[in-house]
Amino acid sequence: MVDLAAAYTFAWRNAPRLPEQLLRAGFTVAADVAWLRRGGGVRQLEANYARVRPELDRRGLRRLSRRGMRSYMRYFREAFTLQGATPDQVRARVRLVGLDAVRDILEGNAAGSLALGHLGNWDLAGAWATPNLAPVLTVAEKLKPEALYDEFVGFRRSIGIEVIGLGDADVFRRLVRGARAGKRIVPLLADRDLAATGVEVDLLGHRARVAAGPAALALAANVDLIPTMITYERLDRARRKVAGTPWGIVIEFSGPIPVPDVDPTLRGPDRRRAQTAIMTQGWVDAMARTLRESTEDWHMLQKVFIEDLDPERYAKTQAEAGELPPEDVPLPAPDVAGAPES
């Protein structure tokens, strides 16, 4: 059995020493092999892409998923070498769109809650942001084994990102305190509902479940909610020479999502939930436009759309989130063996 933590440690320590062309070739081969094997992750990627791009036939979808796997492996290749990149290289790899949406907030000594999807290279964006925009505070999914999680946290801290582990004590309160302190950005990957406390939204005409965190943080800390999309682009010769790689990223900041007016009879948690749901749909709509334009950069090999979720398990998730009364949760069928997939 492969020791994942040891493998990732080896990659982070040794990949920066290898020639860029050799790494690109190796990770492209890895992407193509995974694509050809068409395991569960690739099949789910194609199912997700099929909903984003319904006009594609089977052949077009397969070509798109191949580009998606190459984009996904590009992210890992860049992550393994990012610690060896110079500040000039990092700056050359990043292009900004709509920066004023964030700069105006930070110049007022406030913070911003950034809603991100699993698009492009969010670690490169974080490595750029801390020295060039504002300190970065975020949450990381707890991975198994724990040693692998520790490696990821260590990597992100090494590039200037402050990390709180999802599942640690008082995660949300720590995020709120950090945001209220001002002059920082809090980007949260939110196109998956990892905590089973998310929001059901419309994503390109399909029901999906995403995390409530970015909107909930914006409301609790009284900061702006800013949709932030990260996609890849090929670099021209001048930028490519400085960057040391043919690929860079575009970070696009959208205007803040306004806090909505809701039913005035709603009070307390009910009012906050209603506002969170509307604001979450707002940033999901912004993400949907990017997904249509840069589908291959959406590294989503997991289930997001409601149609893919196990109905019984999803009903329980809704009940736990207060969306269904407990008596409406169907009991498991007697012939179901093992735990249902999420």
Side-chain angles (χ1 to χ4, degrees):
M1 185 179 234
V2 176
D3 185 336
L4 286 177
Y8 275 72
T9 299
F10 179 85
W12 268 309
R13 290 179 180 173
N14 294 282
R17 304 175 186 174
L18 298 177
E20 167 75 15
Q21 291 181 334
L22 178 62
L23 285 171
R24 287 205 310 271
F27 277 84
T28 298
V29 169
D32 287 349
V33 169
W35 176 78
L36 285 168
R37 290 180 62 186
R38 204 165 180 268
V42 173
R43 293 196 303 273
Q44 186 59 56
L45 182 73
E46 290 182 0
N48 293 334
Y49 284 0
R51 293 185 175 96
V52 175
R53 299 286 299 278
E55 76 280 5
L56 295 179
D57 59 16
R58 186 177 181 279
R59 181 175 295 181
L61 189 62
R62 283 292 283 160
R63 286 197 294 263
L64 179 61
S65 69
R66 186 179 190 180
R67 296 200 303 273
M69 288 304 296
R70 288 185 172 186
S71 177
Y72 186 41
M73 287 296 107
R74 185 183 309 132
Y75 160 76
F76 280 103
R77 172 180 62 78
E78 292 173 348
F80 290 138
T81 59
L82 190 53
Q83 294 177 83
T86 67
D88 286 342
Q89 287 176 324
V90 170
R91 283 191 292 270
R93 295 174 188 180
V94 176
R95 182 167 66 89
L96 305 166
V97 176
L99 180 60
D100 288 346
V102 179
R103 182 176 286 149
D104 291 346
I105 294 168
L106 298 174
E107 287 179 352
N109 290 319
S113 175
L114 275 52
L116 276 63
H118 286 76
L119 280 154
N121 189 334
W122 47 93
D123 287 321
L124 174 56
W128 171 85
T130 293
N132 296 288
L133 184 62
V136 176
L137 171 66
T138 192
V139 172
E141 177 185 358
K142 283 290 186 75
L143 302 173
K144 301 270 185 203
E146 189 174 345
L148 178 59
Y149 166 75
D150 291 340
E151 288 293 336
F152 265 100
V153 170
F155 157 63
R156 285 174 176 145
R157 286 175 176 161
S158 76
I159 57 175
I161 300 174
E162 183 181 352
V163 178
I164 301 172
L166 186 64
D168 287 352
D170 296 328
V171 171
F172 190 69
R173 289 180 182 176
R174 291 167 67 184
L175 287 174
V176 171
R177 284 198 297 268
R180 285 177 175 169
K183 202 71 175 179
R184 71 176 63 196
I185 55 175
V186 187
L188 299 174
L189 289 165
D191 52 348
R192 285 178 62 204
D193 178 26
L194 292 174
T197 57
V199 177
E200 189 172 313
V201 295
D202 178 273
L203 178 55
L204 292 163
H206 299 272
R207 303 306 293 174
R209 194 170 184 91
V210 301
L217 175 64
L219 289 167
N222 194 28
V223 299
D224 282 325
L225 172 61
I226 303 169
T228 305
M229 305 304 146
I230 305 168
T231 54
Y232 278 111
E233 68 174 357
R234 281 195 172 274
L235 303 182
D236 60 25
R237 291 184 179 180
R239 279 182 65 197
R240 176 172 177 165
K241 183 176 181 180
V242 178
T245 179
W247 289 94
I249 59 171
V250 180
I251 307 175
E252 182 173 1
F253 303 100
S254 298
I257 302 294
V259 177
D261 293 326
V262 295
D263 186 341
T265 64
L266 294 175
R267 294 288 186 270
D270 290 338
R271 180 179 180 83
R272 189 62 56 88
R273 274 194 293 268
Q275 291 175 318
T276 298
I278 295 170
M279 294 172 72
T280 298
Q281 185 65 63
W283 74 255
V284 167
D285 288 342
M287 182 179 71
R289 293 190 290 272
T290 302
L291 295 187
R292 285 285 299 173
E293 296 168 359
S294 302
T295 312
E296 66 269 23
D297 290 336
W298 192 31
H299 307 150
M300 186 50 67
L301 282 69
Q302 295 82 24
K303 298 175 181 178
V304 174
F305 293 98
I306 303 302
E307 299 163 67
D308 292 334
L309 303 179
D310 179 273
E312 294 168 356
R313 190 165 184 174
Y314 183 58
K316 291 179 180 179
T317 296
Q318 288 180 296
E320 291 170 1
E323 298 168 18
L324 283 175
E327 58 269 21
D328 286 347
V329 180
L331 294 175
D335 58 345
V336 174
E341 292 183 356
S342 59

